[in-house]
Amino acid sequence: MALTSVFFQTMYLVLVEKSGAEDGLSSIEIMFYNSFLSLPFLLSLIIITGEFPNSVSVLFAKSSSLSFLIILLLSLVMGILLNFTMFLCTIVNSALTTTIVGVLKGVGSTTLGFVLLGGVQVHALNITGLVINTAGGVWYSYAKYQQKKSKALRLTSNVESHRK
């Protein structure tokens, strides 16, 4: 399931990048199309796995609780904001940049989880994975920064050569 998730995330990030660049769609429009096209597949999956009746019964049982409704509303808003920023990042940058930012976010989340939540024994394999992820993210960020810097220098030198 994790491999399938990564594959589909990669595919829709590439589609978001292409749609934003070629069709000029905004992040909100792409979110709408993504949600609209995903809904039949997700509903089918929920029904096939048998989660639908259980989910509906839990929702009705908890709907009288104000704290549940507040947490549900906050989760919905945070999910919408996360998708919006992810699609916006993909449109402005690239699918690869969005993936790298996601990896760095994962490193931060994992590190905070080790420190704040405990329960996981920290050993060399965990630390090695975090260091490799962080090094890759920093290396990619530095390479993109150098690429933009050299592109800006070339544009500046081209403008100056045309003025002379």
Side-chain angles (χ1 to χ4, degrees), residues 3-81:
L3 186 61
T4 304
S5 173
V6 168
F7 173 76
F8 281 116
Q9 182 179 8
T10 302
M11 295 313 301
Y12 82 72
L13 284 177
V14 169
L15 287 172
V16 165
E17 180 181 359
K18 297 246 184 248
S19 300
E22 293 173 3
D23 299 335
L25 297 175
S26 71
S27 184
I28 293 174
E29 291 170 322
I30 294 172
M31 278 179 56
F32 171 76
Y33 289 127
N34 181 57
S35 300
F36 186 74
L37 294 172
S38 300
L39 193 60
F41 176 73
L42 291 175
L43 283 176
S44 301
L45 191 63
I46 289 169
I47 291 170
I48 289 170
T49 59
E51 289 186 30
F52 184 73
N54 187 32
S55 301
V56 171
S57 65
V58 169
L59 183 63
F60 282 127
K62 300 278 186 173
S63 64
S64 61
S65 168
L66 182 63
S67 61
F68 173 77
L69 293 175
I70 289 172
I71 291 171
L72 179 65
L73 184 65
L74 284 173
S75 298
L76 289 172
V77 169
M78 287 189 305
I80 291 167
L81 288 175

Side-chain angles (χ1 to χ4, degrees), residues 106-164:
V107 168
S109 301
T110 303
T111 305
L112 279 174
F114 283 152
V115 173
L116 299 177
L117 302 176
V120 176
Q121 196 173 31
V122 180
H123 49 64
L125 192 57
N126 293 348
I127 301 300
T128 303
L130 289 174
V131 168
I132 290 171
N133 278 322
T134 304
V138 169
W139 180 44
Y140 176 80
S141 300
Y142 179 74
K144 286 300 268 189
Y145 172 74
Q146 291 297 334
Q147 183 183 27
K148 282 189 176 191
K149 194 168 133 181
S150 68
K151 189 182 288 186
L153 286 174
R154 275 186 272 149
L155 287 175
T156 305
S157 65
N158 286 343
V159 169
E160 289 176 2
S161 66
H162 285 305
R163 287 184 186 169
K164 292 178 182 180

